[in-house]
Amino acid sequence: MNAQNKRMPKGGRVDRSHSIEFSFDGEGLAGYRGDTLASALLANGVTLVGRSFKYHRPRGILSAGPEEPNALVTLGTGGRREPNLPATTLELGAGMAAESQNRWPSLAFDVQSANGLFAPFLSAGFYYKTFMGPTRRSWKVYEHFIRRAAGLGRAGTEPDPDRYEVRHAFADVAIIGAGPAGLSAARAAAAAGARVVLIEQDFLLGGQLLAERSDGAAASWLSRVEAELNSFETVTLMKRTSAFGIYDGNVIGLVEQRNQDCPPYSGQARQTVTMLRARSLVFATGAIERPMVFPNNDLPGVMLASAARIYLNRFAVLPGRKIIVATTNDGAWRTAFDLAVAGAEVTVVDLRTTIPPALVVEATRLGVTVRTATRILNLRGGHSVKRATLKGPDGQFEAACDLVCMSGGWSPTVHLASHLGVKPRYREDIGGFVPGVFPANQFGAGAMMGIYATADTNEDGHRAGIEAASFCGKSAPVPAPSKLDLGETVPALLRDFPCAQGGKAFVDFQMDVTTKDIELAHREGYESIEHLKRYTTLGMGTDQGKTSNFPGLSAMAALRGATIPETGTTTFRPPFTPVAIGALAGRATGHHFKPFRRTPMHDWHLANGAEMLEVGLWMRPWFYRQSGADVSEAYVAEMRNVRRAAGLMDISTLGKIDVQGPDAATFLDRIYANGFAKLQVGRARYGVMLRDDGIVFDDGTTTRLAESRFFMTTSTAKAADVLSRLEFLLDTAWPELRVAVSSVSDEWAAMSIAGPESRAILAAAFPSLDVSNEALPHMGSYEGEWRGRALRILRLSYSGERAYEIYVGATAGEQLWSSLLEAGRPLDLKPYGVEALGALRVEKGHVAGPEIDGRTTLDDLGLGRMVGKRSGFVGDVLRRRPALLAHDRQRLVGLECMEDGKRLRGGSVLFRPDEKATGHGRGRVTSVTFSPERDRYVGLALLAGDLATEGSEVVAVYPMKAETVRARIVSPIFLDPQGERLHG
Amino acid sequence: MLRFECPCCGPRDHDEFRYGGDASVRRPAHDDPDPEAWYAYVYVRKNPAGLHREFWQHVTGCRQWLVVERDTRTHVISTVTFARASQA
């Protein structure tokens, strides 16, 4: 193959002084700066670029834009591997290594295509029939083959080393599409005084103007307008930027590709997502040419007519020498003329009987053969088109060819305009859908509104620009539109009807949907366009059916004998073009995925051997290395130390809420299931909150600091929800209560000292404090100062030991922590982590998150007696619904492992010893720990009430590890049921 | 990408807010013992195609609970008021 043997010696918008080397399937090739991967492949004579999705048919390049269904490639290796990229949108870059997809063992010889093995399985509705019908079981047999056969490219599995960014931007007027309409709109809106952002997916401005000769009137108009736009400081040109979605409030989702001149390791983001909020929005998204539908219309060498013209005029590539141009309208004749001027032998095959005389005259002048009322019946060729069978008024005939250009008319690109719900409306005169009624802050211009001739398009863009600016209150006088008339005749269109005798005639190239699939869908009753889409997968590929939508609904309309508006169109949803997840994530990956919250003692933990654990957003010490080699050794050692001497725990993550006001006690009485109005000043109380539906919401303690001031703590997990709920009730339900709540979570560092030695250590650390049982009893509190910072001590226990929660101004947290450890060293005070904390509370039978799981009631958790005869609190009425009081509801029990050398595991399913261990069982283990106290594994479980008799036996099954263990039902309080350790 | 005109903080992105449910349902008095009233309040909702009154809290702003009137068909927001004011 000669290097770039299809490249014209001059012309085009490629820089011949700047050669770019790249590879395709390992073969080294060269193109020029200004090429796309597709144009560079065509310049090198590469026409076979991929295999199709289901049938593995050879495919070439159909289009020259983001509508490309066939020429999908994979770029990059390792973590940079990215599949399914349309070669037609990839700006050629130095060293670009592209691979074809969906072929094995090679692109030229593909086994599955060669034997056609799977074709019978893959007709329309295959998946539905397989999953839903009596053949459901056969899926297991076929799955392996089907998955391998029917798939596009594979993504990389390694972490992506590139950087992505997400940013927000604002504009008065955003214009999507920089063709003649968009450029005119931008010029007018900027002149009117608006801040304008002009968005173009290509790396050049111009849109369809780039299909014109690079040295003609269109080119000079383009450079003049581009220069004019550049002179405005208020205009931002965003090239290489695709608008992928339109969202509420005129927010446009944009993804910008890095300039290919910028090396991948420069540190510049590979892709940048911009969420652009615009006061008004102009859609100038142009139109997409329709393929024609005839047998073997998917052969490499069959191309949209407009694409061939772009390859010729923009990229100086002549993709064929003996060319058939098949059309239903005037537009493709321009392709025929340009190809003829470039030296090709061209035949125009027009479906219409009457052709505008001017076209015929020009064709004759250029030596173009004209066949009217003629269509393509079939194509032949292996890896590239070679012969066409045509049918005209005088019958069938054959013609040799190496390129077929086709045009079934144009479809306005209404996708983006439809995202917010503007319904497309069919226009009979242009044979296409245009947007319906726009909201006041959106405008459409040019080909996307069905206005095709360049002269009209410019004027329409100019008008839209003025209107969009005026919507933003920018109405400075605007100079007249910059005129450009390319003399196009408005395409008088004849609707193409599919012809499908003698081979597969493709409607959707990417999803391999043929006319036969549409016939099958029609025959089986899937006539609605939305059903047709889902039954045949028409339009469900990565190209979103940009080229297949209209031919598909047109074929269905014909089968039903219905009109196009009766048949309708499917709903267009974001994204318009695929967006990499990495781009949407931006920098929010790894440790930047979410914020990390650190307690005031965080650095101390790290410096002292703590293994940290993520708990929600918080980082908490899991266990300390000094306590043991791994977590299971360490937590038991830490537990033993708490039970024997004392331990210190960082509890700064608890939610802390200041509640004050004359009605604070009344308020607490309503939000807690147990009463608080009679709580004495200086005393604390454990409290449980319910949701309105009677399910337990959260638990914690509240201390009465003064008559009308309380200090509430919540669980770490529910801190934000509880505060929000309190504010909700005060703002919406009981505005008459004079209460203010505010979060003081970050104001306090908090630590808990627990164990038999805790009182002695407290006395050593605060020599002036009276720590006696009389001065500071269980549930007592102290308010004071420590080194000039606020100090609050609450005698509360979670572990079952005598314990004190010590709160100090956050900035003094680490100081107090260290000073407590110092004071406690002679008495063996050691820090412990959340694993030991959880284990201690299980041993004591305290419920926590695994039991308060949004499904349990007070009675389920054995807390019903706290409420007594109270009423009038949140959740009181609905907690008494009969189903929540049922005798057999699962309720909290303790479990003790009965088998030596075995363990209980959280999540195990519980069964009766005499029943088969299948299904959901009678309950489940919620929390487990090794209990040094009992010298065996113990746990908390929720178990069907009728089985929950202390002393009886259950079987705990853990299918993940195929473990089964016998356990005895016991009281959930494994330690000190009388609470002597707390009160002494 | 909704945007609310917070009566305290001005126009803000909806990322700063937390949805709080239907504001057209009336909460029973705290000591109302009628299960039907509570059932209706907790579970029974209309799903209007059109104007909908709903609670939103400006969680990363002033923390006020607001009543927002939003058209469910177009997402156009017609009014935003303090919930306290609308309850009075």
Side-chain angles (χ1 to χ4, degrees):
Chain A
M1 187 181 304
N2 298 326
Q4 304 202 43
N5 63 345
K6 305 276 178 168
R7 186 84 72 181
M8 305 288 285
K10 58 186 177 49
R13 292 171 182 273
V14 289
D15 178 358
R16 288 179 176 75
S17 67
H18 191 125
S19 181
I20 291 178
E21 295 190 356
F22 70 103
S23 72
F24 181 66
D25 281 344
E27 186 187 358
L29 298 168
Y32 295 128
R33 172 187 266 175
D35 263 326
T36 61
L37 177 60
S39 69
L41 287 170
L42 287 171
N44 285 282
V46 178
T47 51
L48 170 63
V49 296
R51 289 272 171 180
S52 74
F53 180 52
K54 286 196 299 195
Y55 303 124
H56 287 241
R57 288 169 65 102
R59 291 286 167 84
I61 294 163
L62 179 77
S63 75
E67 67 269 33
E68 178 61 35
N70 285 338
L72 305 182
V73 298
T74 298
L75 284 191
T77 53
R80 288 198 168 85
R81 185 182 172 86
E82 191 177 358
N84 305 338
L85 299 167
T88 49
T89 61
L90 295 171
E91 183 179 8
L92 192 68
M96 188 178 256
E99 272 177 49
S100 61
Q101 298 185 159
N102 220 25
R103 80 299 195 258
W104 187 82
S106 75
L107 185 56
F109 177 76
D110 180 275
V111 166
Q112 284 168 8
S113 160
N115 58 23
L117 184 62
F118 290 92
F121 294 126
L122 295 170
S123 61
F126 163 75
Y127 288 97
Y128 294 92
K129 287 167 184 164
T130 305
F131 289 127
M132 309 300 289
T135 52
R136 198 167 60 194
R137 281 173 192 283
S138 62
W139 175 245
K140 289 203 169 100
V141 179
Y142 298 131
E143 181 180 7
H144 174 75
F145 301 100
I146 300 290
R147 285 207 191 281
R148 175 142 179 207
L152 291 169
R154 287 172 298 110
T157 51
E158 292 159 45
D160 187 340
D162 281 324
R163 228 186 65 203
Y164 300 84
E165 297 281 356
V166 176
R167 66 184 194 118
H168 293 260
F170 302 87
D172 290 330
V173 179
I175 297 161
I176 304 175
L183 288 166
S184 299
R187 181 180 170 274
R195 280 182 311 139
V196 174
V197 176
L198 177 62
I199 297 140
E200 173 54 50
Q201 58 88 22
D202 204 331
F203 52 93
L204 293 181
L205 301 183
Q208 279 302 315
L209 295 183
L210 298 174
E212 304 296 328
R213 291 176 57 92
S214 58
D215 55 2
S220 54
W221 185 90
L222 182 54
S223 48
R224 195 170 66 244
V225 173
E226 189 169 355
E228 213 178 326
L229 289 177
N230 277 319
S231 72
F232 283 105
E233 278 183 14
T234 48
V235 174
T236 307
L237 300 178
M238 294 183 77
K239 299 178 192 174
R240 300 180 177 83
T241 303
S242 304
F244 59 80
I246 309 295
Y247 305 97
D248 289 318
N250 265 3
V251 172
I252 313 161
L254 302 172
V255 60
E256 183 177 3
Q257 306 291 329
R258 178 173 51 204
N259 186 336
Q260 279 297 340
D261 288 341
C262 195
Y265 302 100
S266 65
Q268 197 189 327
R270 182 161 165 262
Q271 293 178 346
T272 303
V273 164
T274 301
M275 301 309 285
L276 174 67
R277 187 179 281 270
R279 295 167 72 187
S280 63
L281 179 49
V282 178
F283 295 98
T285 46
I288 293 172
E289 198 166 33
R290 295 171 193 154
M292 295 174 87
V293 182
F294 49 80
N296 300 312
N297 61 345
D298 65 327
L299 272 174
V302 180
M303 193 181 272
L304 294 173
S306 59
R309 192 154 173 258
I310 289 170
Y311 288 117
L312 177 65
N313 287 335
R314 175 175 173 183
F315 298 107
V317 173
L318 184 59
R321 288 269 157 200
K322 203 168 169 53
I323 302 171
I324 294 174
V325 176
T327 184
T328 61
N329 60 83
D330 292 1
W333 288 71
R334 294 163 61 80
T335 298
F337 299 158
D338 286 0
L339 290 168
V341 170
E345 186 189 328
V346 181
T347 304
V348 174
V349 174
D350 199 315
L351 207 51
R352 298 173 298 178
T353 321
T354 321
I355 311 293
L359 294 178
V360 181
V361 169
E362 181 69 358
T364 311
R365 189 178 75 80
L366 294 170
V368 170
T369 311
V370 173
R371 301 280 195 167
T372 57
T374 304
R375 65 175 306 146
I376 297 178
L377 278 191
N378 206 338
L379 293 180
R380 267 170 295 149
H383 287 166
S384 184
V385 60
K386 292 201 170 57
R387 291 192 74 77
T389 308
L390 304 162
K391 186 177 183 221
D394 307 325
Q396 250 173 262
F397 60 102
E398 298 273 313
C401 57
D402 60 359
L403 182 73
V404 172
C405 302
M406 56 182 173
S407 176
W410 291 81
S411 295
T413 311
V414 300
H415 308 64
L416 286 165
S418 309
H419 282 179
L420 282 182
V422 173
K423 288 244 181 298
R425 141 184 93 80
Y426 188 68
R427 259 180 64 187
E428 201 69 53
D429 60 330
I430 61 155
F433 285 92
V434 296
V437 182
F438 280 115
N441 56 1
Q442 294 183 353
F443 305 86
M448 73 92 63
M449 298 300 288
I451 297 166
Y452 291 129
T454 306
D456 303 337
T457 299
N458 283 355
E459 277 198 29
D460 196 46
H462 185 78
R463 168 204 55 84
I466 291 173
E467 287 176 11
S470 158
F471 180 84
C472 309
K474 310 288 180 186
S475 327
V478 174
S482 180
K483 286 199 186 299
L484 174 66
D485 192 345
L486 298 175
E488 301 106 320
T489 42
V490 175
L493 179 88
L494 185 65
R495 199 169 124 208
D496 169 42
F497 284 97
C499 148
Q501 295 302 311
K504 284 190 165 62
F506 285 87
V507 176
D508 187 324
F509 295 89
Q510 190 177 113
M511 298 308 288
D512 268 354
V513 178
T514 66
T515 47
K516 289 212 165 49
D517 293 318
I518 296 177
E519 284 161 21
L520 182 67
H522 174 252
R523 202 159 61 233
E524 298 191 344
Y526 295 93
E527 293 188 338
S528 131
I529 197 72
E530 296 285 359
H531 287 156
L532 172 68
K533 170 180 169 176
R534 284 152 185 86
Y535 199 61
T536 61
T537 69
L538 175 79
M540 288 170 74
T542 59
D543 64 342
Q544 293 253 301
K546 291 182 181 66
T547 53
S548 65
N549 184 275
F550 194 86
L553 70 90
S554 170
M556 179 54 89
L559 288 166
R560 285 173 55 182
T563 63
I564 297 279
E566 279 164 4
T567 308
T569 181
T570 51
T571 310
F572 300 106
R573 297 188 180 86
F576 175 64
T577 47
V579 191
I581 296 288
L584 293 172
R587 294 227 198 173
T589 61
H591 282 301
H592 301 291
F593 180 61
K594 57 185 183 182
F596 277 97
R597 299 185 76 181
R598 298 173 174 85
T599 74
M601 288 81 93
H602 184 81
D603 291 345
W604 188 96
H605 301 315
L606 292 187
N608 289 274
E611 200 65 36
M612 303 301 280
L613 185 70
E614 283 179 41
V615 182
L617 298 180
W618 286 101
M619 294 300 290
R620 301 191 72 179
W622 185 20
F623 65 95
Y624 294 85
R625 288 264 168 224
Q626 69 200 47
S627 312
D630 59 20
V631 62
S632 37
E633 192 179 309
Y635 90 86
V636 177
E638 290 174 4
M639 274 177 94
R640 285 188 203 277
N641 194 60
V642 171
R643 299 267 184 246
R644 182 185 61 82
L648 189 63
M649 170 81 204
D650 183 350
I651 55 167
S652 304
T653 61
L654 290 181
K656 308 172 204 73
I657 301 171
D658 183 276
V659 182
Q660 53 180 303
D663 297 319
T666 310
F667 176 60
L668 292 172
D669 235 24
R670 291 188 192 174
I671 57 145
Y672 276 122
N674 51 325
F676 274 75
K678 293 188 184 124
L679 184 65
Q680 289 169 26
V681 173
R683 299 302 295 253
R685 183 168 288 172
Y686 173 72
V688 182
M689 293 179 195
L690 306 186
R691 309 190 308 211
D692 285 326
D693 63 0
I695 300 293
V696 175
F697 177 34
D698 194 39
D699 65 348
T701 60
T702 288
T703 308
R704 192 167 206 166
L705 302 173
E707 193 56 36
S708 57
R709 184 159 181 218
F710 294 81
F711 176 68
M712 173 187 289
T713 64
T714 73
S715 68
T716 299
K718 295 280 173 60
D721 290 347
V722 169
L723 179 67
S724 185
R725 191 72 195 155
L726 300 184
E727 289 165 332
F728 177 80
L729 291 168
L730 287 171
D731 273 359
T732 70
W734 310 319
E736 72 281 4
L737 292 186
R738 292 160 300 165
V739 181
V741 291
S742 59
S743 168
V744 290
S745 293
D746 293 339
E747 276 70 14
W748 295 98
M751 53 209 89
S752 165
I753 182 165
E757 302 291 0
S758 57
R759 177 151 56 208
I761 295 166
L762 203 63
F766 305 100
S768 58
L769 181 69
D770 181 357
V771 297
S772 70
N773 210 30
E774 292 67 41
L776 196 52
H778 184 56
M779 294 302 200
S781 73
Y782 166 81
E783 291 269 301
E785 273 194 4
W786 185 76
R787 298 191 185 169
R789 303 287 203 329
L791 175 74
R792 181 172 293 163
I793 301 177
L794 311 176
R795 188 169 160 192
L796 299 171
S797 175
Y798 192 54
S799 56
E801 300 298 326
R802 180 191 300 131
Y804 303 87
E805 289 183 358
I806 303 166
Y807 296 81
V808 69
T811 50
E814 190 177 327
Q815 257 182 302
L816 178 59
W817 174 271
S818 301
S819 121
L820 281 171
L821 283 170
E822 189 64 33
R825 182 172 301 150
L827 295 168
D828 251 359
L829 177 67
K830 285 183 185 150
Y832 65 104
V834 288
E835 192 69 23
L837 176 81
L840 290 162
R841 70 100 191 164
V842 172
E843 234 183 5
K844 182 64 186 171
H846 278 309
V847 291
E851 291 79 34
I852 303 177
D853 66 352
R855 288 176 288 183
T856 46
T857 66
L858 281 171
D859 291 319
D860 296 342
L861 300 176
L863 298 172
R865 67 187 181 285
M866 288 175 64
V867 180
K869 295 204 178 339
R870 293 186 77 239
S871 63
F873 56 89
V874 171
D876 176 40
V877 175
L878 293 186
R879 87 185 179 97
R880 284 182 268 177
R881 284 176 289 170
L884 296 185
L885 299 174
H887 171 65
D888 57 354
R889 266 185 79 78
Q890 294 185 1
R891 63 169 198 251
L892 187 76
V893 296
L895 289 183
E896 210 172 48
C897 183
M898 293 170 65
E899 296 182 61
D900 287 336
K902 285 200 175 178
R903 54 168 301 179
L904 285 173
R905 288 188 191 275
S908 296
V909 186
L910 298 175
F911 295 93
R912 277 198 331 239
D914 58 345
E915 69 188 351
K916 195 159 171 248
T918 57
H920 295 291
R922 304 306 194 103
R924 67 206 155 82
V925 180
T926 53
S927 306
V928 296
T929 177
F930 179 79
S931 166
E933 197 70 17
R934 299 280 174 104
D935 194 28
R936 61 180 64 243
Y937 275 92
V938 301
L940 301 178
L942 292 164
L943 180 63
D946 48 347
L947 298 185
T949 319
E950 281 183 25
S952 60
E953 213 180 297
V954 288
V955 175
V957 178
Y958 194 75
M960 299 285 287
K961 290 185 183 287
E963 287 180 3
T964 299
V965 63
R966 287 159 49 226
R968 181 180 294 115
I969 301 167
V970 295
S971 155
I973 303 168
F974 299 93
L975 175 103
D976 185 24
Q978 306 307 316
E980 284 153 9
R981 298 188 189 213
L982 306 175
H983 292 95
Chain B
M1 308 288 162
L2 297 180
R3 217 183 222 196
F4 299 108
E5 189 76 32
C6 174
C8 180
C9 309
R12 298 295 183 96
D13 251 23
H14 83 284
D15 290 12
E16 297 186 8
F17 296 81
R18 168 193 186 125
Y19 183 64
D22 190 337
S24 67
V25 291
R26 189 103 194 134
R27 187 182 176 91
H30 75 98
D31 54 357
D32 186 338
D34 178 12
E36 286 301 321
W38 283 98
Y39 161 75
Y41 168 68
V42 172
Y43 295 107
V44 181
R45 293 289 180 275
K46 290 202 178 91
N47 185 16
L51 220 54
H52 189 234
R53 274 164 60 84
E54 51 203 22
F55 287 121
W56 288 80
Q57 185 185 21
H58 196 184
V59 277
T60 60
C62 58
R63 292 205 63 90
Q64 295 298 310
W65 278 94
L66 309 169
V67 173
V68 173
E69 273 190 310
R70 179 178 62 97
D71 192 315
T72 58
R73 294 164 303 186
T74 59
H75 286 188
V76 171
I77 290 160
S78 42
T79 62
V80 182
T81 51
F82 288 123
R84 270 181 184 268
S86 76
Q87 302 300 302

